[in-house]
Amino acid sequence: MYASTVRGLLVRGMLAGLIAGLFAFAVAYVVGEPPVRGSIAVEEAAAAQDAAGAPSAHAGHGGGDAAPAEAAEEEEELVSRPVQSTFGLATGVLVYGVALGGIASLAFSFALGRVGGFSPRATAALTAAGAFATVYLVPFLKYPATPPAVGNPDTIGQRTTLFFLMILLSVLLGVGAIILGRRLAPRLGNWNATLTASGAFIVAAALAFVFLPDNSDAVQPGFPAALLWEFRVASLAVQLVLWAVFAIVFGVLAQRLLAARADGAEATAQQPAPAVG
């Protein structure tokens, strides 16, 4: 019975993640695409300026016109920009939503009844809020999102490693805060235990911020600050919409599933036992 319930929650979590991904895609396309196009325009303008100012390697050898033409020639894109901003963006956001929805539903299955006497809807909201904070918000505060082709391409591997390391540390610190809160609850009460565990999480995250290196070359000098700010606000808005919609949809679906299972179990328990001989 428990396995079938978890399986049902997993399916509903993935469905809720798909629906949340649709809303997140709409926000990403409307709010997030303009700063992405702006950053690409800045990059193209800088590349054109560099190509125009670069001296020709064939100057004085009869090839003065060939070098600028070769420098101005653009590399052929495997996927066009309109496809990237529509089908590519939709595919990435929807797959992301379904995957995180499934993981969050498993976390919900573990948290239900273990973090207080909350209803399934309230537990879904708390799970989504915790996932948003640990998986995105805390790493975002340390390593904010940047538009494509803005940072130093030579350090992209290092920057990616640091970002995922921050996600791992944030998730582990969040799990540790939950365990700490549960152990302190019998002595301090739920409210004081929650405040203490939250404070411990903030202190530990702050220490991680101090000791982990910064991304000093994540943004090239001279990049428009307003455009960078718009992109980061759009990234934050996409994640907020994704987790808020997931919390609402999954809370409703989980509430209905668990209520139906509870009614079925109650009806089974009330059936009279068969007479013997």
Side-chain angles (χ1 to χ4, degrees):
M1 186 69 177
Y2 178 77
S4 63
T5 301
V6 173
R7 184 166 55 250
L9 290 173
L10 176 62
V11 173
R12 285 158 177 80
M14 297 173 69
L15 176 60
L18 178 63
I19 297 173
L22 292 173
F23 282 87
F25 164 70
V27 175
Y29 183 78
V30 174
V31 180
E33 273 301 306
V36 171
R37 290 194 295 266
S39 65
I40 293 176
V42 171
E43 180 198 14
E44 292 176 349
Q49 184 177 3
D50 293 342
S56 173
H58 300 279
H61 298 280
D65 296 336
E70 292 176 359
E73 183 179 357
E74 296 182 356
E75 296 182 359
E76 183 179 358
E77 294 181 340
L78 296 178
V79 181
S80 64
R81 179 59 194 155
V83 174
Q84 293 177 11
S85 61
T86 53
F87 295 105
L89 178 62
T91 301
V93 174
L94 292 179
V95 171
Y96 179 79
V98 170
L100 287 186
I103 297 173
S105 66
L106 296 178
F108 168 88
S109 302
F110 175 80
L112 185 63
R114 292 185 173 92
V115 293
F118 298 103
S119 66
R121 289 185 181 181
T123 304
L126 291 174
T127 302
F132 168 75
T134 56
V135 176
Y136 182 79
L137 183 59
V138 172
F140 175 85
L141 294 177
K142 175 61 178 177
Y143 302 116
T146 55
V150 170
N152 185 357
D154 297 333
T155 61
I156 188 172
Q158 177 186 359
R159 289 186 278 125
T160 303
T161 301
L162 289 174
F163 181 73
F164 281 104
L165 176 61
M166 190 65 229
I167 292 178
L168 178 61
L169 286 176
S170 178
V171 172
L172 292 177
L173 291 176
V175 173
I178 293 174
I179 296 174
L180 177 63
R182 289 188 61 192
R183 292 185 176 181
L184 293 178
R187 290 183 293 173
L188 303 180
N190 290 332
W191 178 253
N192 292 330
T194 301
L195 291 179
T196 303
S198 300
F201 173 81
I202 294 174
V203 171
L207 291 175
F209 281 19
V210 171
F211 288 103
L212 285 177
D214 295 329
N215 283 336
S216 57
D217 57 351
V219 180
Q220 294 178 355
F223 187 82
L227 190 59
L228 180 63
W229 173 257
E230 291 176 4
F231 178 83
R232 288 176 174 174
V233 170
S235 301
L236 185 61
V238 170
Q239 292 291 329
L240 278 172
V241 170
L242 177 70
W243 286 109
V245 174
F246 171 81
I248 295 172
V249 176
F250 180 70
V252 173
L253 296 178
Q255 182 84 30
R256 292 180 178 177
L257 173 66
L258 296 174
R261 294 292 172 89
D263 293 341
E266 183 179 356
T268 302
Q270 292 179 353
Q271 290 181 356
V276 180

